[in-house]
Every structure is written in structure tokens, then in C-alpha cells.
Amino acid sequence: MKNIFIAGLLCAGLLVFAGCGSKHHTITKTDGSTAVSVGNPQFNKDSNTYTYENLDGQETTIKREDVQQIEENKK
């Protein structure tokens, strides 16, 4: 009985951690289009660009001047 209880706690813990995965951000561009990033977009000061991973797992780069807004998606 004790083993079942421990197994249940482990499963519940895994579900909680699975819900705390990477946060998604919506990037609104100056042309009105949007993109979604997995995790926080990284800003490169040298090139004045944002780099992010899109939903397909591809790394994408966008110029800062083309970004109107970046906001974290609420679950």
C-alpha cells in the first residue's frame, strides 16, 4: 500500500513539473503579423536582433526594428 502511495506522489510531481516547462511568448511585428517563441527570445546587442525558437523547433532571427511588442503568453 505504501508503494502505491509513493508511486502516486511521483506521478503527481511529474505532472506538476511538466506544466512548468518553457513559457511561450507572442512576438508582434510592425507589419501586424505575429510569431510565437518557445522560451524567452534572446536579444543580441551587437546585431540588434532577437533570436528565438519557433513552434517547429527552428531557430529564427528578427531585427529589433521589426518588433513592435513581445509578451509572455498566459496559460
Side-chain angles (χ1 to χ4, degrees), residues 10-55:
L10 288 173
C11 287
L14 288 174
L15 288 175
V16 168
F17 286 119
C20 298
S22 296
K23 296 181 179 183
H24 292 67
H25 291 76
T26 298
I27 303 167
T28 305
K29 302 175 189 176
T30 55
D31 66 2
S33 65
T34 59
V36 178
S37 72
V38 177
N40 194 20
Q42 300 298 310
F43 184 70
N44 182 321
K45 291 180 184 178
D46 295 332
S47 61
N48 204 30
T49 59
Y50 286 100
T51 301
Y52 62 94
E53 180 183 337
N54 66 20
L55 294 176

